[in-house]
C-alpha cells in the first residue's frame, strides 16, 4: 500500500502561454510565445519576428482559460486538486517589459484567478515566468543577453510579489531554466531568454552570457521576495532528464556523469550561490567569456533558493562509441552521444518512458542539494480518441502516472527523500510547448480544440479524471484502476 505525508500537495500544472489565450486581452502585449508557429512530431516550430495575419499561432487563443477559468477551477475542485501550478504572463503585467507602471488589467486578472483558486481550497503555486517574456524585450534589447533586462525582470518580480503577497506562498523564478543548455535548438534560447544567435556568433558563449543574467535575475528576485514576505518559499524550476551510461564501461559512466552537468549547472548556482568549479574550468578551457561583474558573486550568494521544483518526463542514455547526435533528433533535445535505451519504450514523440528514473532523479537531487523537492511537472503526451460511447478511455495515461507515483512513494518512504507535492503536467489539455500541437495531450480534462485551431473549446472529463480524483481522495493510497474500455 502506498502512503504519503499528511500535508503532501496533490495538484496539477499548466503555464499561462499554453493555456490562457486572450493574447491581446486586458492590455496584454505580445510575448516570445506569441510568435511561435505550430509544429508537428518531427517539425520544429518557427520563430517569426512579426505576426503574419495568414499564419496560425496556437498560443494566441490556447484553450481560452482566460475567459473560462471559473468553469475550469470548478472542475479542478471536483477532482480534488489541492494545488494548481501556473505562471504569471509577464507581458500581461508589463506589455512591453520596460514600463515603470504595471498594467492594472493584467494584475486584476491574476487577483481574480488566485481568489477563485483560494475560494475553492486550491493553493496557487506560481512560476514567475514560463517562456513568456515580452516580445519587445527580446527584439529591442536582445533578451537576457542584455543586462538591462535583469532590472526589468526584477521590477516585474517585485510588482507581483508585492501584489500577491497574501495570496501566494509557493513561487519559482524561471521555468526549466536549464533548458537553454541545449543552445543549438533556437527555440530554447528564444523562449527561456528572448535570445537569437546571429551568424558568426559563438552560440555557447551567448548562452552563458544570457545564463549569467538569468542567474542574477533569479537571485535578485529571490532576495526581493524574502524582503516582501519572509514566509515565501521560492524555488528554482529545472527540467530533469537523467542521463544513464549505456553500459558499465568506465568511460561511459564518466561520460554520463559529465553530461549531467548540462542539467545541474543552473541549480548548482541557484542552490549554492556560486559557480561550480567544473564550469569555471570549462570557461577557461574553451575560452568562454562570461560578463561577471564585481558584486555579482554577492548577488548570487544572497539569493539562493528554498527548494527545487522540477519536471520529469523521461530519461536519456549515452554511449561514448556513438556518433554525435544528428540534427533530425534535435527537436527532442537530443544530447551529444545519445543512444536509445533498449530497456524502455518511447512515447509517440520519442520520449523514453521511465518511472524508475523518477525515483533515481529524486535521490540524485536530494543527495546533491539536501533541499525539499517539488515535482511540478510529469505526464504523458499522447493522442486521445473519443470512443463510440463518447468517453475518453486514457488507460495509458493512468498507467504512466500510476507507475511514476509508485516510484515517488518509494523515494519518500524507503529512500527518505523530502517531497512537498506532485502537480502532473497539463491537468487540462493545452498547447504543447515543443510541437505547438493540441493533439499532444496530457490532460485529465479534454479540450475540444484541434491542431488547426478548430473546435468548440468544450471541456470533457477523461477516465484519468476519476482515477486521479480517487488518488487524491485517498492521499495516494488507492492507485488502482479498472479499465472502462
Ligand atoms: C516542459 C515545459 O518542457 O514540458 C512545458 O515546462 C511543456 O511548458 C512540457 O509543455 C511538455 O512538453 P511538450 O513539448 O510535450 O508540451
Amino acid at each position: 500500500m502506498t502512503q504519503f505525508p499528511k500535508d503532501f500537495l496533490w495538484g496539477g500544472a499548466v503555464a499561462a502561454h499554453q493555456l490562457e489565450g486572450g493574447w491581446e486581452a486586458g492590455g496584454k502585449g505580445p510575448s516570445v510565445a506569441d510568435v511561435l508557429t505550430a509544429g508537428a512530431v518531427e517539425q520544429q516550430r518557427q520563430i517569426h519576428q512579426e505576426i503574419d495575419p495568414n499564419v496560425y499561432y496556437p498560443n494566441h487563443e490556447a484553450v481560452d482559460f482566460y475567459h473560462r477559468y471559473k468553469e475550469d477551477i470548478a472542475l479542478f475542485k471536483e477532482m480534488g486538486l489541492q494545488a494548481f501550478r501556473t505562471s504569471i504572463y509577464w507581458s500581461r503585467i508589463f506589455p512591453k517589459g520596460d514600463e515603470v507602471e504595471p498594467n492594472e488589467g493584467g494584475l486584476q486578472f491574476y487577483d481574480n484567478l488566485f481568489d477563485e483558486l483560494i475560494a475553492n481550497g486550491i493553493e496557487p503555486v506560481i512560476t514567475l515566468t514560463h517562456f513568456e517574456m515580452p516580445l519587445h524585450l527580446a527584439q529591442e534589447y536582445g533578451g537576457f543577453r542584455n543586462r538591462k533586462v535583469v532590472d526589468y525582470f526584477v521590477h516585474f518580480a517585485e510588482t507581483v510579489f508585492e501584489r500577491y503577497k497574501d495570496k501566494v506562498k509557493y513561487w519559482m523564478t524561471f521555468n526549466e531554466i536549464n533548458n537553454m543548455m541545449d543552445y543549438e535548438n533556437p527555440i530554447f534560447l528564444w523562449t527561456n531568454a528572448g535570445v537569437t544567435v546571429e551568424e558568426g556568433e559563438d552560440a555557447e558563449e551567448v548562452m552563458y552570457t544570457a545564463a549569467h543574467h538569468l542567474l542574477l535575475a533569479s537571485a535578485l528576485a529571490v532576495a526581493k521576495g524574502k524582503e516582501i514576505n519572509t514566509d515565501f518559499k521560492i524555488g528554482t524550476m529545472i527540467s530533469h532528464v537523467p542521463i544513464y551510461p549505456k553500459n558499465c564501461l568506465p568511460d561511459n559512466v564518466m561520460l554520463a556523469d559529465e553530461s549531467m552537468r548540462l542539467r545541474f549547472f543552473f541549480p548548482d548556482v541557484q542552490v549554492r550561490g556560486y559557480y561550480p568549479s567544473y564550469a569555471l574550468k570549462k570557461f577557461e578551457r574553451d575560452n568562454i567569456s562570461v560578463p561577471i561583474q564585481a558584486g555579482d558573486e554577492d548577488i548570487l550568494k544572497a539569493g539562493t533558493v528554498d527548494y527545487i521544483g522540477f519536471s520529469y518526463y523521461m530519461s536519456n542514455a549515452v554511449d561514448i562509441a556513438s556518433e554525435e547526435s544528428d540534427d533530425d533528433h534535435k527537436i527532442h533535445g537530443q544530447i551529444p552521444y545519445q543512444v536509445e535505451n533498449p530497456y524502455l519504450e518511447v512515447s509517440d514523440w520519442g520520449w523514453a518512458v521511465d518511472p524508475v528514473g523518477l525515483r533515481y532523479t529524486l535521490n540524485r537531487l536530494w543527495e546533491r542539494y539536501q533541499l525539499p523537492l517539488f515535482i511540478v511537472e510529469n505526464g504523458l503526451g499522447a493522442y486521445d480518441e473519443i470512443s463510440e460511447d463518447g468517453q475518453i478511455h486514457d488507460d495509458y495515461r493512468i498507467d504512466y502516472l500510476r507507475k511514476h507515483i509508485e516510484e515517488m512513494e518509494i523515494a519518500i518512504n524507503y529512500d527518505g527523500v523530502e517531497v512537498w507535492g506532485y502537480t502532473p503536467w497539463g491537468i487540462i489539455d493545452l498547447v504543447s510547448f515543443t510541437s505547438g500541437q493540441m493533439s499532444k495531450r496530457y490532460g485529465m480534462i479534454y479540450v475540444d480544440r484541434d491542431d488547426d485551431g478548430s473546435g468548440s473549446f468544450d471541456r470533457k472529463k477523461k477516465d484519468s479524471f476519476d482515477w486521479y480524483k480517487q488518488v487524491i481522495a485517498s492521499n495516494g493510497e488507492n492507485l488502482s484502476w479498472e479499465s472502462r474500455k
Side-chain angles (χ1 to χ4, degrees):
M1 194 175 67
T2 46
Q3 281 192 330
F4 286 84
K6 282 204 170 48
D7 52 358
F8 191 81
L9 283 172
W10 295 96
V14 297
H17 76 282
Q18 292 169 265
L19 180 81
E20 290 177 4
W23 78 288
E24 291 181 303
K28 177 184 163 296
S31 77
V32 292
D34 288 322
V35 293
L36 293 179
T37 63
V41 180
E42 289 293 348
Q43 185 195 327
Q44 183 73 264
R45 302 180 79 179
Q46 301 300 307
I47 304 164
H48 285 181
Q49 288 304 326
E50 347 187 308
I51 306 288
D52 178 343
N54 300 314
V55 170
Y56 169 59
Y57 299 96
N59 298 83
H60 285 192
E61 287 184 276
V63 296
D64 200 34
F65 181 78
Y66 184 82
H67 298 108
R68 292 162 200 258
Y69 70 91
K70 288 197 179 169
E71 181 196 327
D72 289 339
I73 290 172
L75 284 169
F76 300 157
K77 183 179 184 185
E78 186 185 334
M79 206 192 288
L81 291 198
Q82 297 156 348
F84 180 62
R85 171 182 177 236
T86 187
S87 54
I88 296 180
Y89 215 133
W90 186 351
S91 69
R92 266 192 214 295
I93 311 301
F94 290 98
K96 290 170 78 179
D98 54 2
E99 301 91 338
V100 176
E101 293 304 325
N103 170 37
E104 182 54 32
L107 287 170
Q108 195 57 57
F109 172 70
Y110 292 102
D111 264 321
N112 298 342
L113 174 61
F114 299 154
D115 288 346
E116 189 71 16
L117 288 168
I118 293 162
N120 283 282
I122 301 172
E123 176 96 43
V125 175
I126 302 302
T127 319
L128 283 173
T129 183
H130 189 132
F131 313 152
E132 294 137 350
M133 81 185 298
L135 185 60
H136 176 77
L137 292 183
Q139 292 181 328
E140 295 303 315
Y141 295 83
F144 274 96
R145 68 160 76 215
N146 186 334
R147 198 171 167 123
K148 261 195 198 156
V149 173
V150 173
D151 298 337
Y152 297 134
F153 175 78
V154 177
H155 182 48
F156 160 64
E158 190 177 359
T159 305
V160 297
F161 281 151
E162 192 58 60
R163 178 82 169 215
Y164 308 121
K165 62 174 184 267
D166 300 322
K167 299 182 182 181
V168 178
K169 172 177 166 192
Y170 296 99
W171 299 90
M172 282 162 276
T173 53
F174 293 94
N175 184 65
E176 291 190 338
I177 189 168
N178 56 347
N179 260 354
M180 59 194 249
M181 292 301 270
D182 190 358
Y183 55 84
E184 281 176 21
N185 184 331
I187 293 286
F188 294 132
L189 271 182
W190 178 251
T191 50
N192 273 49
V195 166
T196 41
V197 178
E198 306 300 329
E199 189 106 2
E201 279 191 309
D202 175 351
E204 194 176 25
E205 190 166 78
V206 172
M207 187 278 292
Y208 276 114
T209 296
H212 182 61
H213 294 151
L214 280 162
L215 288 164
L216 289 176
S218 175
L220 287 163
V222 171
K224 213 26 114 192
K226 292 304 179 98
E227 264 170 53
I228 292 170
N229 186 342
T230 47
D231 289 338
F232 278 174
K233 300 288 177 207
I234 311 179
T236 176
M237 193 310 191
I238 58 166
S239 154
H240 201 82
V241 183
I243 301 169
Y244 302 143
K246 185 184 171 189
N247 52 34
C248 51
L249 179 74
D251 280 344
N252 268 340
V253 175
M254 205 53 232
L255 171 67
D257 208 60
E258 203 178 320
S259 305
M260 283 309 292
R261 293 173 187 166
L262 297 171
R263 313 278 186 240
F264 286 133
F265 167 71
F266 282 91
D268 278 353
V269 181
Q270 291 178 297
V271 171
R272 299 170 181 157
Y274 55 86
Y275 276 80
S277 48
Y278 62 80
L280 298 175
K281 283 285 178 199
K282 180 182 170 56
F283 299 158
E284 213 179 287
R285 190 171 57 242
D286 296 346
N287 221 356
I288 294 173
S289 126
V290 183
I292 302 175
Q293 296 182 5
D296 287 359
E297 285 178 6
D298 297 336
I299 293 174
L300 296 176
K301 259 255 115 51
T304 55
V305 294
D306 298 320
Y307 71 99
I308 318 270
F310 72 94
S311 65
Y312 176 79
Y313 293 93
M314 60 183 147
S315 60
N316 287 164
V318 286
D319 181 5
I320 197 116
S322 84
E323 298 288 316
E324 292 271 335
S325 55
D326 60 81
D327 282 349
D328 287 354
H329 291 102
K330 264 292 164 200
I331 194 166
H332 301 304
Q334 185 151 359
I335 49 166
Y337 303 102
Q338 187 171 333
V339 289
E340 273 175 23
N341 184 331
Y343 302 104
L344 301 176
E345 291 187 356
V346 297
S347 78
D348 289 331
W349 281 264
W351 293 15
V353 176
D354 178 14
V356 176
L358 177 58
R359 176 178 170 207
Y360 178 80
T361 290
L362 286 162
N363 276 282
R364 292 294 81 75
L365 291 172
W366 177 246
E367 284 164 3
R368 193 172 182 107
Y369 301 123
Q370 293 282 294
L371 280 185
L373 304 173
F374 201 148
I375 305 168
V376 294
E377 286 186 33
N378 172 235
L380 178 70
Y383 295 108
D384 288 333
E385 267 176 35
I386 302 185
S387 302
E388 274 170 18
D389 62 2
Q391 304 302 311
I392 297 143
H393 301 301
D394 56 343
D395 292 11
Y396 37 90
R397 182 168 293 109
I398 294 171
D399 192 52
Y400 177 102
L401 294 168
R402 186 185 48 236
K403 287 179 177 152
H404 284 77
I405 293 173
E406 281 167 354
E407 293 298 327
M408 171 167 78
E409 197 262 349
I410 299 172
I412 295 171
N413 290 323
Y414 182 90
D415 301 324
V417 178
E418 184 178 348
V419 187
W420 281 353
Y422 180 69
T423 58
W425 176 249
I427 195 78
I428 177 168
D429 289 345
L430 35 64
V431 176
S432 156
F433 161 56
T434 49
S435 75
Q437 293 169 295
M438 270 306 301
S439 54
K440 188 179 188 187
R441 296 175 183 274
Y442 287 87
M444 305 186 198
I445 300 167
Y446 185 86
V447 177
D448 178 20
R449 179 84 168 164
D450 298 323
D451 287 345
D452 60 3
S454 57
S456 65
F457 285 129
D458 284 352
R459 278 54 171 155
K460 190 185 210 17
K461 296 176 216 167
K462 303 180 192 178
D463 284 359
S464 53
F465 181 102
D466 291 331
W467 171 77
Y468 194 46
K469 183 177 174 180
Q470 157 203 304
V471 171
I472 299 174
S474 64
N475 193 23
E477 267 188 32
N478 188 355
L479 302 179
S480 65
W481 180 249
E482 209 157 296
S483 176
R484 294 172 178 174
K485 273 187 192 165

